[in-house]
Amino acid sequence: MSKHNKHHSLLLAPTAMLLAVTMAAAPANAAMNGFDVASYQTADVTCAVQSYDFAIVKSSEGTWYNNPKMAAQLTCAQNRGKRIGVYHYAEGADATAEADHFINSIGGYRGRALLALDFEMGGNRAYYSSGAGDWIRTFVNRVHTVTGVWPVVYIPESGVGKIPADVRANCAIWPAAYATMRPTGYQAQPWHAGRFGEAMRQYTSEGVLAGYAGRLDLDVFYGDGSAWDAYARGGNGSQATVKPAPKPSAPAPAARTIRPVLTVDAWLGRASIAQWQRIMGTPVDGVVSGQYNVWYRPRLVSVTHRNHRGSALVRAVQRKYGLRQTGLLDRNTIRYIQMDVGANPDGILGPDTARRIQIRLNTGRF
């Protein structure tokens, strides 16, 4: 998901009690492997990845955003016979309005795609509030009332306790926790697997799968295709035979990765910005455009201060962290970058932050 700090659970008998019983009794190989994506991945990512069972695609955020690549990403997966899902990124505004926006965004995929709520900290004003549980409850109840489907709830593992008991009784959970930030393929037994009796778990944002050069969020679903379909329909599950999960994927060929090109000098000039743009898949001109002239970016030297319309590069970075996509490199965006690269999150783009960004860019990823 859009996101970094993602940290989920088995469907706990909502109206689908039979599904819960079926899944609980399933053998150890009752699992499917897949990934979740947003618009900062390519439109053909689900065509490019060679081996997967399912793909979950961001459809909406708040009450204002729809993923322009959703249809292409879902179509690629469907054309290959894969299971699909769609998720809404919570912004913490009015929960009913966000649920309605999500429902409207998925259109004809209702009943065909697993539905999910992505409730995490980045850009979500409700996450740390005392009303977090009420917000989740209002959202999932609204989705169920309109669609007849209980959405799966994605949440960082540290936030599972925010989900009220009545929501857990109806909705599966999808916790995320990462043991390391090292690149990995599919994992049969990821860190903390089954800790909450989850339906699905996200275990890395550094997934490397053959056919796609970028990094992916990797997930394991504890059920077979019939179980997945039951989530999507809101039905009562199936006794169908479970399909074994695919073997772990080999890393993408090294020739497809971006080679280190930067001198680490702690100044973000044209070369650094151009490398960043190439990695994020935005137009490459070596300039962060459309910014305000502010004091807290002393080491960003390739920047323009005209129009104040923001930068495509900054929007791509903000999508990665699940932030509002203003395109403006403000202090909050800088703090998320700093937490990602291991710098002091003071919101000031100084020499240490610039150096760490360059080191990250020289790995060919961000």
Side-chain angles (χ1 to χ4, degrees), residues 9-26:
S9 220
L10 232 216
L11 181 66
L12 298 178
T15 54
M17 181 166 303
L18 176 58
L19 175 59
V21 172
T22 300
M23 292 175 65

Side-chain angles (χ1 to χ4, degrees), residues 98-246:
E98 289 204 31
D100 288 342
H101 180 63
F102 174 48
I103 294 162
N104 290 335
S105 76
I106 63 180
Y109 292 105
R110 187 188 305 185
R112 294 191 288 159
L114 176 148
L115 307 184
L117 166 65
D118 179 354
F119 193 81
E120 56 182 290
M121 58 282 288
N124 179 358
R125 72 193 74 167
Y127 187 84
Y128 289 113
S129 75
S130 60
D134 289 334
W135 198 101
I136 295 170
R137 177 188 294 111
T138 300
F139 182 96
V140 301
N141 284 346
R142 177 64 174 177
V143 171
H144 181 257
T145 296
V146 177
T147 69
V149 175
W150 290 108
V152 176
V153 180
Y154 172 98
I155 197 164
E157 187 173 275
S158 59
V160 167
K162 296 177 182 291
I163 304 174
D166 57 300
V167 174
R168 287 290 302 269
N170 290 315
C171 297
I173 67 169
W174 176 13
Y178 307 158
T180 75
M181 296 302 289
R182 291 193 294 270
T184 180
Y186 293 129
Q187 297 179 11
Q189 288 293 322
W191 188 56
H192 286 183
R195 188 177 192 181
F196 300 100
E198 61 265 19
M200 189 154 44
R201 174 167 285 272
Q202 184 190 89
Y203 52 88
T204 185
S205 61
E206 297 296 316
V208 181
L209 300 180
Y212 186 70
R215 295 294 196 262
L216 294 164
D217 295 341
L218 299 186
D219 309 281
V220 58
F221 173 77
Y222 298 109
D224 65 355
S226 296
W228 184 282
D229 294 342
Y231 282 92
R233 294 191 309 266
N236 289 329
S238 165
Q239 299 290 341
T241 302
V242 172
K243 295 189 305 180

Side-chain angles (χ1 to χ4, degrees), residues 22-357:
T22 300
M23 292 175 65
N29 65 349
M32 299 198 300
N33 288 329
F35 52 87
D36 58 271
V37 296
S39 61
Y40 61 87
Q41 274 99 8
T42 60
D44 68 346
V45 57
T46 49
C47 286
V49 175
Q50 291 182 12
S51 177
Y52 63 98
D53 296 316
F54 64 87
I56 306 175
V57 176
K58 181 177 181 178
S59 64
S60 56
E61 178 177 342
T63 58
W64 59 277
Y65 176 78
N66 293 320
N67 175 9
K69 299 178 184 176
M70 179 186 77
Q73 291 168 335
L74 290 173
T75 298
C76 264
Q78 282 191 302
N79 287 346
R80 296 177 64 188
K82 311 300 184 183
R83 259 63 184 192
I84 59 170
V86 290
Y87 73 87
H88 173 81
Y89 191 95
E91 203 171 65
D94 180 83
T96 300
E98 289 204 31
D100 288 342
H101 180 63
F102 174 48
I103 294 162
N104 290 335
S105 76
I106 63 180
Y109 292 105
R110 187 188 305 185
R112 294 191 288 159
L114 176 148
L115 307 184
L117 166 65
D118 179 354
F119 193 81
E120 56 182 290
M121 58 282 288
N124 179 358
R125 72 193 74 167
Y127 187 84
Y128 289 113
S129 75
S130 60
D134 289 334
W135 198 101
I136 295 170
R137 177 188 294 111
T138 300
F139 182 96
V140 301
N141 284 346
R142 177 64 174 177
V143 171
H144 181 257
T145 296
V146 177
T147 69
V149 175
W150 290 108
V152 176
V153 180
Y154 172 98
I155 197 164
E157 187 173 275
S158 59
V160 167
K162 296 177 182 291
I163 304 174
D166 57 300
V167 174
R168 287 290 302 269
N170 290 315
C171 297
I173 67 169
W174 176 13
Y178 307 158
T180 75
M181 296 302 289
R182 291 193 294 270
T184 180
Y186 293 129
Q187 297 179 11
Q189 288 293 322
W191 188 56
H192 286 183
R195 188 177 192 181
F196 300 100
E198 61 265 19
M200 189 154 44
R201 174 167 285 272
Q202 184 190 89
Y203 52 88
T204 185
S205 61
E206 297 296 316
V208 181
L209 300 180
Y212 186 70
R215 295 294 196 262
L216 294 164
D217 295 341
L218 299 186
D219 309 281
V220 58
F221 173 77
Y222 298 109
D224 65 355
S226 296
W228 184 282
D229 294 342
Y231 282 92
R233 294 191 309 266
N236 289 329
S238 165
Q239 299 290 341
T241 302
V242 172
K243 295 189 305 180
K247 294 179 180 179
S249 168
R256 298 196 63 187
T257 62
I258 300 171
R259 298 298 185 187
V261 297
L262 302 176
T263 300
V264 179
D265 59 4
W267 292 97
L268 297 183
R270 278 186 175 272
S272 294
I273 300 306
Q275 175 77 339
W276 205 348
Q277 290 168 328
R278 281 190 290 270
I279 290 170
M280 301 303 292
T282 62
V284 179
D285 62 4
V287 179
V288 178
S289 58
Q291 304 298 303
Y292 287 95
N293 193 354
V294 295
W295 62 270
Y296 50 78
R297 298 191 301 255
R299 290 298 176 119
L300 175 62
V301 294
S302 186
V303 58
T304 63
H305 304 117
R306 297 184 297 274
N307 300 326
H308 305 153
R309 294 175 182 170
S311 159
L313 169 62
V314 176
R315 288 189 184 91
V317 171
Q318 289 168 330
R319 283 195 297 272
K320 169 186 169 72
Y321 299 130
L323 303 175
R324 191 174 184 87
Q325 296 154 46
T326 63
L328 299 173
L329 191 55
D330 54 23
R331 294 193 71 180
N332 190 46
T333 303
I334 292 170
R335 287 189 185 97
Y336 273 85
I337 293 171
Q338 289 171 322
M339 288 187 287
D340 190 5
V341 300
N344 178 33
D346 59 5
I348 300 171
L349 208 169
D352 182 62
T353 300
R355 181 180 64 82
R356 290 174 182 267
I357 290 172

